[in-house]
Amino acid sequence: MKEKSSKITIAIDGYSSTGKSTVAKQIAKALGYVYVDTGAMYRAVTYYALQNGLFAQDKLNREKLIASLQHIHLKFIFNAEKGFGEMYLNGLNIENEIRSMYVSNHVSEVATVKEVRSYLVKLQREMGKDKGVIMDGRDIGSVVFPDAELKVFLTADAKIRAERRWLELTQKGENPNLDEIYQNVVERDHIDSSREESPLTKTSDAIAIDVTHINKEQQFQKIYELAMERIQNKKATQG
Ligand code: DC
């Protein structure tokens, strides 16, 4: 008889720059799980829209984008050196391009488009269908995997998040402006939380963690312990 898997689904949602992807990658490595960065998928669609002139004077042509979805093929390809899957758009590695401020400044609008969301949610469900997955985003616990065994919702003070993002970009050799990053963080919080389609919300069964005053190691420990507890629970119920 086939042994039942004790693998679970882990949803990490929360505000931008709360360290979701860093912690999710660490947990994936520790548990041998697949990590899926859903923000990268929204960023890749945004990059496509920018590259193909679908923004005119910063205004998105929604109809054209919806019609173009059939030409947008996204794939994560694991980079063993980096330890995570990099984003490929139509066969091209765009992992660096999608992290630019240019993409950050346009992604929230793309993420409000219902058809874009259903296109990406379908891909995300497919990627997580075998469990043993940790996915980070805004709607993972609420829409993509409402039955996830562990849901975590991360929050932190906006100023601290902007400072962390500034440091990250500076370490990458960019020359970011802290005020611009702060404005981007606040604006994205607003659009992500108030949009009609799958707004960012904490579901009642998600565990909220405020990371304003804790470091990355403590953040990892907390979530790792929660994950182990849920895995043990699943094993126990399987008998
Ligand atoms: O996590 P991130 O900052 O890379 O996400 C980029 C944008 O994509 C973010 O402003 C909101 C959107 N997003 C979303 O709407 N739903 C998700 N599941 C992931 C990201």
Side-chain angles (χ1 to χ4, degrees), residues 142-172:
S142 57
V143 175
V144 184
F145 291 117
D147 295 332
E149 288 87 348
L150 174 60
K151 298 180 187 178
V152 174
F153 191 84
L154 297 177
T155 61
D157 181 79
K159 228 171 133 235
I160 298 277
R161 287 187 281 136
E163 283 169 12
R164 287 182 186 162
R165 185 93 192 102
W166 179 86
L167 191 65
E168 232 173 72
L169 290 169
T170 304
Q171 283 166 347
K172 273 193 191 165

PDB file of all heavy atoms in Angstrom, residues 142-172:
ATOM      1  N   SER A 142      -6.016  32.882   1.159  1.00  0.00           N
ATOM      2  CA  SER A 142      -7.426  33.254   0.962  1.00  0.00           C
ATOM      3  C   SER A 142      -8.009  32.684  -0.334  1.00  0.00           C
ATOM      4  O   SER A 142      -9.170  32.300  -0.367  1.00  0.00           O
ATOM      5  CB  SER A 142      -7.576  34.782   0.966  1.00  0.00           C
ATOM      6  OG  SER A 142      -6.760  35.364  -0.027  1.00  0.00           O
ATOM      7  N   VAL A 143      -7.208  32.615  -1.402  1.00  0.00           N
ATOM      8  CA  VAL A 143      -7.754  32.218  -2.710  1.00  0.00           C
ATOM      9  C   VAL A 143      -7.072  30.977  -3.305  1.00  0.00           C
ATOM     10  O   VAL A 143      -7.742  30.034  -3.712  1.00  0.00           O
ATOM     11  CB  VAL A 143      -7.626  33.398  -3.720  1.00  0.00           C
ATOM     12  CG1 VAL A 143      -8.068  32.974  -5.110  1.00  0.00           C
ATOM     13  CG2 VAL A 143      -8.417  34.602  -3.241  1.00  0.00           C
ATOM     14  N   VAL A 144      -5.748  30.988  -3.344  1.00  0.00           N
ATOM     15  CA  VAL A 144      -5.046  29.921  -4.071  1.00  0.00           C
ATOM     16  C   VAL A 144      -5.177  28.584  -3.329  1.00  0.00           C
ATOM     17  O   VAL A 144      -5.601  27.590  -3.908  1.00  0.00           O
ATOM     18  CB  VAL A 144      -3.551  30.284  -4.308  1.00  0.00           C
ATOM     19  CG1 VAL A 144      -2.868  29.214  -5.148  1.00  0.00           C
ATOM     20  CG2 VAL A 144      -3.424  31.642  -4.980  1.00  0.00           C
ATOM     21  N   PHE A 145      -4.818  28.604  -2.034  1.00  0.00           N
ATOM     22  CA  PHE A 145      -4.935  27.367  -1.241  1.00  0.00           C
ATOM     23  C   PHE A 145      -5.671  27.636   0.072  1.00  0.00           C
ATOM     24  O   PHE A 145      -5.056  27.668   1.138  1.00  0.00           O
ATOM     25  CB  PHE A 145      -3.544  26.768  -0.953  1.00  0.00           C
ATOM     26  CG  PHE A 145      -2.865  26.229  -2.177  1.00  0.00           C
ATOM     27  CD1 PHE A 145      -1.674  26.773  -2.626  1.00  0.00           C
ATOM     28  CD2 PHE A 145      -3.429  25.184  -2.903  1.00  0.00           C
ATOM     29  CE1 PHE A 145      -1.049  26.287  -3.769  1.00  0.00           C
ATOM     30  CE2 PHE A 145      -2.814  24.693  -4.052  1.00  0.00           C
ATOM     31  CZ  PHE A 145      -1.635  25.251  -4.483  1.00  0.00           C
ATOM     32  N   PRO A 146      -6.999  27.812  -0.010  1.00  0.00           N
ATOM     33  CA  PRO A 146      -7.743  28.084   1.229  1.00  0.00           C
ATOM     34  C   PRO A 146      -7.658  26.927   2.229  1.00  0.00           C
ATOM     35  O   PRO A 146      -7.902  27.124   3.419  1.00  0.00           O
ATOM     36  CB  PRO A 146      -9.182  28.323   0.757  1.00  0.00           C
ATOM     37  CG  PRO A 146      -9.222  27.967  -0.674  1.00  0.00           C
ATOM     38  CD  PRO A 146      -7.844  27.830  -1.208  1.00  0.00           C
ATOM     39  N   ASP A 147      -7.272  25.730   1.752  1.00  0.00           N
ATOM     40  CA  ASP A 147      -7.161  24.580   2.662  1.00  0.00           C
ATOM     41  C   ASP A 147      -5.729  24.339   3.149  1.00  0.00           C
ATOM     42  O   ASP A 147      -5.445  23.274   3.711  1.00  0.00           O
ATOM     43  CB  ASP A 147      -7.647  23.298   1.962  1.00  0.00           C
ATOM     44  CG  ASP A 147      -9.121  23.372   1.640  1.00  0.00           C
ATOM     45  OD1 ASP A 147      -9.841  24.084   2.373  1.00  0.00           O
ATOM     46  OD2 ASP A 147      -9.548  22.740   0.652  1.00  0.00           O
ATOM     47  N   ALA A 148      -4.840  25.290   2.933  1.00  0.00           N
ATOM     48  CA  ALA A 148      -3.436  25.101   3.356  1.00  0.00           C
ATOM     49  C   ALA A 148      -3.379  24.772   4.847  1.00  0.00           C
ATOM     50  O   ALA A 148      -4.118  25.360   5.646  1.00  0.00           O
ATOM     51  CB  ALA A 148      -2.643  26.375   3.069  1.00  0.00           C
ATOM     52  N   GLU A 149      -2.520  23.823   5.206  1.00  0.00           N
ATOM     53  CA  GLU A 149      -2.411  23.411   6.606  1.00  0.00           C
ATOM     54  C   GLU A 149      -1.790  24.503   7.471  1.00  0.00           C
ATOM     55  O   GLU A 149      -2.049  24.584   8.668  1.00  0.00           O
ATOM     56  CB  GLU A 149      -1.564  22.146   6.740  1.00  0.00           C
ATOM     57  CG  GLU A 149      -2.237  20.879   6.252  1.00  0.00           C
ATOM     58  CD  GLU A 149      -2.054  20.628   4.754  1.00  0.00           C
ATOM     59  OE1 GLU A 149      -1.601  21.550   4.035  1.00  0.00           O
ATOM     60  OE2 GLU A 149      -2.371  19.503   4.317  1.00  0.00           O
ATOM     61  N   LEU A 150      -0.930  25.332   6.857  1.00  0.00           N
ATOM     62  CA  LEU A 150      -0.338  26.438   7.619  1.00  0.00           C
ATOM     63  C   LEU A 150      -0.456  27.723   6.813  1.00  0.00           C
ATOM     64  O   LEU A 150      -0.017  27.791   5.665  1.00  0.00           O
ATOM     65  CB  LEU A 150       1.148  26.151   7.935  1.00  0.00           C
ATOM     66  CG  LEU A 150       1.914  27.300   8.597  1.00  0.00           C
ATOM     67  CD1 LEU A 150       1.298  27.710   9.939  1.00  0.00           C
ATOM     68  CD2 LEU A 150       3.390  26.922   8.813  1.00  0.00           C
ATOM     69  N   LYS A 151      -1.043  28.731   7.459  1.00  0.00           N
ATOM     70  CA  LYS A 151      -1.142  30.056   6.823  1.00  0.00           C
ATOM     71  C   LYS A 151      -0.493  31.073   7.747  1.00  0.00           C
ATOM     72  O   LYS A 151      -0.849  31.143   8.933  1.00  0.00           O
ATOM     73  CB  LYS A 151      -2.606  30.443   6.625  1.00  0.00           C
ATOM     74  CG  LYS A 151      -3.384  29.515   5.717  1.00  0.00           C
ATOM     75  CD  LYS A 151      -4.817  29.990   5.585  1.00  0.00           C
ATOM     76  CE  LYS A 151      -5.656  28.989   4.821  1.00  0.00           C
ATOM     77  NZ  LYS A 151      -7.059  29.406   4.721  1.00  0.00           N
ATOM     78  N   VAL A 152       0.435  31.825   7.192  1.00  0.00           N
ATOM     79  CA  VAL A 152       1.124  32.847   7.979  1.00  0.00           C
ATOM     80  C   VAL A 152       0.866  34.194   7.307  1.00  0.00           C
ATOM     81  O   VAL A 152       0.889  34.293   6.076  1.00  0.00           O
ATOM     82  CB  VAL A 152       2.644  32.551   8.029  1.00  0.00           C
ATOM     83  CG1 VAL A 152       3.392  33.680   8.711  1.00  0.00           C
ATOM     84  CG2 VAL A 152       2.913  31.226   8.747  1.00  0.00           C
ATOM     85  N   PHE A 153       0.620  35.211   8.131  1.00  0.00           N
ATOM     86  CA  PHE A 153       0.389  36.552   7.587  1.00  0.00           C
ATOM     87  C   PHE A 153       1.395  37.512   8.208  1.00  0.00           C
ATOM     88  O   PHE A 153       1.393  37.746   9.420  1.00  0.00           O
ATOM     89  CB  PHE A 153      -1.050  36.996   7.916  1.00  0.00           C
ATOM     90  CG  PHE A 153      -1.455  38.239   7.187  1.00  0.00           C
ATOM     91  CD1 PHE A 153      -1.951  38.182   5.895  1.00  0.00           C
ATOM     92  CD2 PHE A 153      -1.325  39.484   7.792  1.00  0.00           C
ATOM     93  CE1 PHE A 153      -2.308  39.341   5.210  1.00  0.00           C
ATOM     94  CE2 PHE A 153      -1.683  40.649   7.113  1.00  0.00           C
ATOM     95  CZ  PHE A 153      -2.176  40.575   5.825  1.00  0.00           C
ATOM     96  N   LEU A 154       2.296  38.060   7.368  1.00  0.00           N
ATOM     97  CA  LEU A 154       3.379  38.901   7.880  1.00  0.00           C
ATOM     98  C   LEU A 154       3.073  40.389   7.750  1.00  0.00           C
ATOM     99  O   LEU A 154       2.619  40.852   6.701  1.00  0.00           O
ATOM    100  CB  LEU A 154       4.678  38.590   7.122  1.00  0.00           C
ATOM    101  CG  LEU A 154       5.225  37.166   7.277  1.00  0.00           C
ATOM    102  CD1 LEU A 154       6.464  36.974   6.415  1.00  0.00           C
ATOM    103  CD2 LEU A 154       5.542  36.847   8.730  1.00  0.00           C
ATOM    104  N   THR A 155       3.358  41.108   8.825  1.00  0.00           N
ATOM    105  CA  THR A 155       3.198  42.565   8.803  1.00  0.00           C
ATOM    106  C   THR A 155       4.472  43.194   9.369  1.00  0.00           C
ATOM    107  O   THR A 155       5.248  42.523  10.052  1.00  0.00           O
ATOM    108  CB  THR A 155       2.021  43.037   9.700  1.00  0.00           C
ATOM    109  OG1 THR A 155       2.302  42.631  11.039  1.00  0.00           O
ATOM    110  CG2 THR A 155       0.713  42.454   9.263  1.00  0.00           C
ATOM    111  N   ALA A 156       4.673  44.474   9.075  1.00  0.00           N
ATOM    112  CA  ALA A 156       5.771  45.237   9.686  1.00  0.00           C
ATOM    113  C   ALA A 156       5.544  46.704   9.371  1.00  0.00           C
ATOM    114  O   ALA A 156       4.868  47.042   8.389  1.00  0.00           O
ATOM    115  CB  ALA A 156       7.131  44.799   9.149  1.00  0.00           C
ATOM    116  N   ASP A 157       6.102  47.533  10.206  1.00  0.00           N
ATOM    117  CA  ASP A 157       6.036  48.971  10.026  1.00  0.00           C
ATOM    118  C   ASP A 157       6.544  49.364   8.621  1.00  0.00           C
ATOM    119  O   ASP A 157       7.584  48.855   8.178  1.00  0.00           O
ATOM    120  CB  ASP A 157       6.934  49.569  11.116  1.00  0.00           C
ATOM    121  CG  ASP A 157       6.942  51.060  11.078  1.00  0.00           C
ATOM    122  OD1 ASP A 157       5.982  51.632  11.583  1.00  0.00           O
ATOM    123  OD2 ASP A 157       7.916  51.628  10.520  1.00  0.00           O
ATOM    124  N   ALA A 158       5.825  50.261   7.924  1.00  0.00           N
ATOM    125  CA  ALA A 158       6.178  50.610   6.530  1.00  0.00           C
ATOM    126  C   ALA A 158       7.570  51.236   6.418  1.00  0.00           C
ATOM    127  O   ALA A 158       8.283  50.996   5.440  1.00  0.00           O
ATOM    128  CB  ALA A 158       5.133  51.553   5.951  1.00  0.00           C
ATOM    129  N   LYS A 159       7.965  52.012   7.440  1.00  0.00           N
ATOM    130  CA  LYS A 159       9.273  52.677   7.371  1.00  0.00           C
ATOM    131  C   LYS A 159      10.400  51.648   7.429  1.00  0.00           C
ATOM    132  O   LYS A 159      11.371  51.706   6.676  1.00  0.00           O
ATOM    133  CB  LYS A 159       9.398  53.650   8.554  1.00  0.00           C
ATOM    134  CG  LYS A 159       9.882  54.990   8.099  1.00  0.00           C
ATOM    135  CD  LYS A 159       9.820  56.019   9.171  1.00  0.00           C
ATOM    136  CE  LYS A 159      11.157  56.744   9.161  1.00  0.00           C
ATOM    137  NZ  LYS A 159      11.833  56.761  10.420  1.00  0.00           N
ATOM    138  N   ILE A 160      10.216  50.683   8.319  1.00  0.00           N
ATOM    139  CA  ILE A 160      11.220  49.617   8.459  1.00  0.00           C
ATOM    140  C   ILE A 160      11.303  48.809   7.158  1.00  0.00           C
ATOM    141  O   ILE A 160      12.374  48.447   6.683  1.00  0.00           O
ATOM    142  CB  ILE A 160      10.832  48.655   9.621  1.00  0.00           C
ATOM    143  CG1 ILE A 160      10.807  49.403  10.943  1.00  0.00           C
ATOM    144  CG2 ILE A 160      11.704  47.416   9.667  1.00  0.00           C
ATOM    145  CD1 ILE A 160      12.150  49.565  11.596  1.00  0.00           C
ATOM    146  N   ARG A 161      10.149  48.546   6.554  1.00  0.00           N
ATOM    147  CA  ARG A 161      10.140  47.757   5.308  1.00  0.00           C
ATOM    148  C   ARG A 161      10.861  48.503   4.198  1.00  0.00           C
ATOM    149  O   ARG A 161      11.619  47.908   3.428  1.00  0.00           O
ATOM    150  CB  ARG A 161       8.692  47.446   4.907  1.00  0.00           C
ATOM    151  CG  ARG A 161       8.060  46.396   5.813  1.00  0.00           C
ATOM    152  CD  ARG A 161       6.715  45.976   5.314  1.00  0.00           C
ATOM    153  NE  ARG A 161       5.676  46.919   5.628  1.00  0.00           N
ATOM    154  CZ  ARG A 161       4.740  47.321   4.782  1.00  0.00           C
ATOM    155  NH1 ARG A 161       4.713  46.880   3.552  1.00  0.00           N
ATOM    156  NH2 ARG A 161       3.818  48.161   5.170  1.00  0.00           N
ATOM    157  N   ALA A 162      10.636  49.827   4.133  1.00  0.00           N
ATOM    158  CA  ALA A 162      11.304  50.628   3.096  1.00  0.00           C
ATOM    159  C   ALA A 162      12.820  50.605   3.321  1.00  0.00           C
ATOM    160  O   ALA A 162      13.600  50.474   2.373  1.00  0.00           O
ATOM    161  CB  ALA A 162      10.775  52.054   3.114  1.00  0.00           C
ATOM    162  N   GLU A 163      13.224  50.695   4.576  1.00  0.00           N
ATOM    163  CA  GLU A 163      14.668  50.699   4.878  1.00  0.00           C
ATOM    164  C   GLU A 163      15.315  49.368   4.493  1.00  0.00           C
ATOM    165  O   GLU A 163      16.412  49.329   3.952  1.00  0.00           O
ATOM    166  CB  GLU A 163      14.899  50.990   6.368  1.00  0.00           C
ATOM    167  CG  GLU A 163      14.735  52.460   6.686  1.00  0.00           C
ATOM    168  CD  GLU A 163      14.694  52.753   8.186  1.00  0.00           C
ATOM    169  OE1 GLU A 163      15.030  51.840   8.980  1.00  0.00           O
ATOM    170  OE2 GLU A 163      14.306  53.863   8.549  1.00  0.00           O
ATOM    171  N   ARG A 164      14.588  48.279   4.768  1.00  0.00           N
ATOM    172  CA  ARG A 164      15.124  46.949   4.409  1.00  0.00           C
ATOM    173  C   ARG A 164      15.259  46.806   2.899  1.00  0.00           C
ATOM    174  O   ARG A 164      16.229  46.257   2.389  1.00  0.00           O
ATOM    175  CB  ARG A 164      14.214  45.848   4.963  1.00  0.00           C
ATOM    176  CG  ARG A 164      14.356  45.711   6.465  1.00  0.00           C
ATOM    177  CD  ARG A 164      13.467  44.573   6.964  1.00  0.00           C
ATOM    178  NE  ARG A 164      13.490  44.526   8.424  1.00  0.00           N
ATOM    179  CZ  ARG A 164      12.596  43.900   9.173  1.00  0.00           C
ATOM    180  NH1 ARG A 164      11.605  43.251   8.600  1.00  0.00           N
ATOM    181  NH2 ARG A 164      12.691  43.892  10.469  1.00  0.00           N
ATOM    182  N   ARG A 165      14.253  47.295   2.187  1.00  0.00           N
ATOM    183  CA  ARG A 165      14.265  47.209   0.716  1.00  0.00           C
ATOM    184  C   ARG A 165      15.419  48.059   0.166  1.00  0.00           C
ATOM    185  O   ARG A 165      16.106  47.661  -0.771  1.00  0.00           O
ATOM    186  CB  ARG A 165      12.907  47.723   0.211  1.00  0.00           C
ATOM    187  CG  ARG A 165      12.681  47.609  -1.253  1.00  0.00           C
ATOM    188  CD  ARG A 165      11.967  46.319  -1.640  1.00  0.00           C
ATOM    189  NE  ARG A 165      12.028  46.139  -3.083  1.00  0.00           N
ATOM    190  CZ  ARG A 165      12.875  45.312  -3.687  1.00  0.00           C
ATOM    191  NH1 ARG A 165      13.705  44.566  -2.993  1.00  0.00           N
ATOM    192  NH2 ARG A 165      12.883  45.218  -4.996  1.00  0.00           N
ATOM    193  N   TRP A 166      15.617  49.230   0.778  1.00  0.00           N
ATOM    194  CA  TRP A 166      16.693  50.137   0.346  1.00  0.00           C
ATOM    195  C   TRP A 166      18.043  49.435   0.502  1.00  0.00           C
ATOM    196  O   TRP A 166      18.888  49.454  -0.389  1.00  0.00           O
ATOM    197  CB  TRP A 166      16.646  51.421   1.198  1.00  0.00           C
ATOM    198  CG  TRP A 166      17.723  52.397   0.860  1.00  0.00           C
ATOM    199  CD1 TRP A 166      17.680  53.351  -0.109  1.00  0.00           C
ATOM    200  CD2 TRP A 166      19.017  52.482   1.470  1.00  0.00           C
ATOM    201  NE1 TRP A 166      18.867  54.034  -0.146  1.00  0.00           N
ATOM    202  CE2 TRP A 166      19.708  53.522   0.809  1.00  0.00           C
ATOM    203  CE3 TRP A 166      19.657  51.811   2.508  1.00  0.00           C
ATOM    204  CZ2 TRP A 166      21.009  53.887   1.148  1.00  0.00           C
ATOM    205  CZ3 TRP A 166      20.957  52.163   2.847  1.00  0.00           C
ATOM    206  CH2 TRP A 166      21.615  53.190   2.169  1.00  0.00           C
ATOM    207  N   LEU A 167      18.220  48.782   1.654  1.00  0.00           N
ATOM    208  CA  LEU A 167      19.476  48.082   1.935  1.00  0.00           C
ATOM    209  C   LEU A 167      19.711  46.959   0.924  1.00  0.00           C
ATOM    210  O   LEU A 167      20.817  46.796   0.386  1.00  0.00           O
ATOM    211  CB  LEU A 167      19.440  47.521   3.361  1.00  0.00           C
ATOM    212  CG  LEU A 167      20.748  46.988   3.917  1.00  0.00           C
ATOM    213  CD1 LEU A 167      21.762  48.131   4.052  1.00  0.00           C
ATOM    214  CD2 LEU A 167      20.541  46.341   5.294  1.00  0.00           C
ATOM    215  N   GLU A 168      18.629  46.220   0.647  1.00  0.00           N
ATOM    216  CA  GLU A 168      18.715  45.102  -0.301  1.00  0.00           C
ATOM    217  C   GLU A 168      19.171  45.583  -1.681  1.00  0.00           C
ATOM    218  O   GLU A 168      20.079  45.017  -2.291  1.00  0.00           O
ATOM    219  CB  GLU A 168      17.304  44.540  -0.465  1.00  0.00           C
ATOM    220  CG  GLU A 168      17.165  43.059  -0.258  1.00  0.00           C
ATOM    221  CD  GLU A 168      15.685  42.717  -0.288  1.00  0.00           C
ATOM    222  OE1 GLU A 168      15.064  42.758  -1.368  1.00  0.00           O
ATOM    223  OE2 GLU A 168      15.165  42.453   0.811  1.00  0.00           O
ATOM    224  N   LEU A 169      18.537  46.672  -2.170  1.00  0.00           N
ATOM    225  CA  LEU A 169      18.880  47.204  -3.495  1.00  0.00           C
ATOM    226  C   LEU A 169      20.294  47.783  -3.496  1.00  0.00           C
ATOM    227  O   LEU A 169      21.049  47.616  -4.458  1.00  0.00           O
ATOM    228  CB  LEU A 169      17.861  48.277  -3.923  1.00  0.00           C
ATOM    229  CG  LEU A 169      16.458  47.755  -4.251  1.00  0.00           C
ATOM    230  CD1 LEU A 169      15.461  48.901  -4.390  1.00  0.00           C
ATOM    231  CD2 LEU A 169      16.465  46.935  -5.552  1.00  0.00           C
ATOM    232  N   THR A 170      20.678  48.433  -2.391  1.00  0.00           N
ATOM    233  CA  THR A 170      22.025  49.001  -2.292  1.00  0.00           C
ATOM    234  C   THR A 170      23.073  47.888  -2.351  1.00  0.00           C
ATOM    235  O   THR A 170      24.085  48.004  -3.043  1.00  0.00           O
ATOM    236  CB  THR A 170      22.170  49.798  -0.967  1.00  0.00           C
ATOM    237  OG1 THR A 170      21.135  50.768  -0.941  1.00  0.00           O
ATOM    238  CG2 THR A 170      23.507  50.508  -0.877  1.00  0.00           C
ATOM    239  N   GLN A 171      22.778  46.795  -1.639  1.00  0.00           N
ATOM    240  CA  GLN A 171      23.722  45.671  -1.641  1.00  0.00           C
ATOM    241  C   GLN A 171      23.855  45.043  -3.023  1.00  0.00           C
ATOM    242  O   GLN A 171      24.854  44.420  -3.339  1.00  0.00           O
ATOM    243  CB  GLN A 171      23.302  44.621  -0.610  1.00  0.00           C
ATOM    244  CG  GLN A 171      23.665  45.059   0.793  1.00  0.00           C
ATOM    245  CD  GLN A 171      22.991  44.234   1.877  1.00  0.00           C
ATOM    246  OE1 GLN A 171      22.052  43.476   1.614  1.00  0.00           O
ATOM    247  NE2 GLN A 171      23.458  44.367   3.108  1.00  0.00           N
ATOM    248  N   LYS A 172      22.809  45.223  -3.844  1.00  0.00           N
ATOM    249  CA  LYS A 172      22.853  44.686  -5.215  1.00  0.00           C
ATOM    250  C   LYS A 172      23.601  45.633  -6.147  1.00  0.00           C
ATOM    251  O   LYS A 172      23.692  45.396  -7.347  1.00  0.00           O
ATOM    252  CB  LYS A 172      21.430  44.527  -5.747  1.00  0.00           C
ATOM    253  CG  LYS A 172      20.796  43.210  -5.390  1.00  0.00           C
ATOM    254  CD  LYS A 172      19.547  43.062  -6.234  1.00  0.00           C
ATOM    255  CE  LYS A 172      18.680  41.932  -5.796  1.00  0.00           C
ATOM    256  NZ  LYS A 172      17.341  42.060  -6.391  1.00  0.00           N
TER     257      LYS A 172
END
